[in-house]
Amino acid sequence: MLKMWRWYQNCLTVHPVKTQVISSAVIWGFGDIAAQTITHSTTKKHRQLKGEEKELKINWRRVATTSLFGLGFIGPVGHFWYEGLDRYMRTRLLLQPNSLRFVAAKVAIDGIIFGPLDLLVFFTYMGFSAGKSVSQVKEDVKRDFLPALIVEGGIWPLLQVANFRYVPVRYQLLYVNFFCLLDSCFLSWLEQQQDAPWKQWLASFLQMREQKGEGG
């Protein structure tokens, strides 16, 4: 394990972007395999009640599609995002590294810009990759984006506090990608929920708040 870590560090030093891109593709691919396994397990009891017994069959096409998301978006964009964000804090805002303001500003900017963008691109990309039409993709994004943003909005800031405070910049994307193993399981579960009652309740609740705001 130590040898593998040293090998990774060496690759990161010699080929930083390429290493981040490939590692993101591998981790997101494994994340989707885990997501499919968990989804199969959670729906197993429901299928048994219906008298349907199905063995787990990994959808390798979906694994490849998810892996390509890590390869084409998370890897390159994440690499330049974390490097650029750190540089911006140090050289433009002149904040002291690892200070409270430095970490808080990073968490806030990451949550406002990169978090929502990541979710939007993910749901859009996965929709088109599944062969859905533009209107179907819009409906899926409308259905899944806000629930995902709300749930992740309560978790990712805490993870990013530790990331921006203790993890060197060159390893920050790797840290995020490992937590994305869990995140991809959540996003897969969320997509499988379709128009679940809790989603409909959340949508109607947000709509009522908007109407209240307009009325006030």
Side-chain angles (χ1 to χ4, degrees), residues 151-215:
V151 174
E152 294 196 348
I155 299 170
W156 273 107
L158 299 175
L159 297 174
Q160 292 292 50
V161 166
N163 190 19
F164 295 140
R165 176 66 179 84
Y166 300 109
V167 181
V169 178
R170 66 196 304 229
Y171 302 126
Q172 285 177 1
L173 180 60
L174 180 66
Y175 169 96
V176 167
N177 273 332
F178 274 114
F179 280 104
C180 281
L181 280 167
L182 301 174
D183 193 38
S184 63
C185 294
F186 165 70
L187 292 176
S188 176
W189 173 82
L190 186 74
E191 192 180 8
Q192 293 293 326
Q193 290 289 293
Q194 299 293 325
D195 291 311
W198 69 272
K199 278 188 184 179
Q200 294 175 15
W201 176 86
L202 182 60
S204 61
F205 175 74
L206 292 170
Q207 193 174 8
M208 279 175 63
R209 288 196 65 178
E210 284 179 9
Q211 289 171 352
K212 246 186 179 180
E214 289 172 4

Side-chain angles (χ1 to χ4, degrees), residues 1 16 18 33 72 81 84 104 112 121 132 142-143 194-195 216:
M1 187 64 75
K18 190 186 291 184
I33 293 172
W81 170 255
I112 292 169
V121 173
K132 295 181 179 179
K142 188 178 176 182
R143 181 192 67 204
Q194 299 293 325
D195 291 311

Side-chain angles (χ1 to χ4, degrees), residues 29-162:
F30 275 114
D32 191 71
I33 293 172
Q36 290 187 47
T37 305
I38 290 170
T39 301
H40 179 268
S41 299
T42 54
T43 57
K44 191 175 182 179
K45 287 183 180 179
H46 181 69
R47 288 196 305 270
Q48 284 175 342
L49 289 173
K50 285 187 168 184
E52 299 173 0
E53 192 64 40
K54 288 185 180 179
E55 291 184 7
L56 171 63
K57 289 184 180 179
I58 298 296
N59 183 343
W60 293 107
R61 184 179 180 277
R62 205 185 86 170
V63 172
T65 299
T66 308
S67 185
L68 282 172
F69 178 73
L71 182 82
F73 180 77
I74 295 296
V77 175
H79 171 79
F80 290 111
W81 170 255
Y82 290 115
E83 293 279 347
L85 182 61
D86 190 76
R87 197 179 307 114
Y88 179 76
M89 293 295 158
R90 294 169 185 268
T91 60
R92 292 292 183 89
L93 298 186
L94 302 177
L95 295 177
Q96 185 67 31
N98 296 334
S99 66
L100 180 61
R101 288 182 65 192
F102 181 85
V103 174
K106 272 192 168 185
V107 171
I109 293 174
D110 185 75
I112 292 169
I113 299 175
F114 191 71
L117 177 65
D118 177 36
L119 285 175
L120 186 63
V121 173
F122 177 81
F123 286 128
T124 304
Y125 167 76
M126 292 302 287
F128 283 125
S129 297
K132 295 181 179 179
S133 65
V134 174
S135 59
Q136 286 176 315
V137 170
K138 281 183 180 178
E139 284 301 313
D140 287 352
V141 170
K142 188 178 176 182
R143 181 192 67 204
D144 295 335
F145 179 77
L146 274 178
L149 189 64
I150 290 167
V151 174
E152 294 196 348
I155 299 170
W156 273 107
L158 299 175
L159 297 174
Q160 292 292 50
V161 166

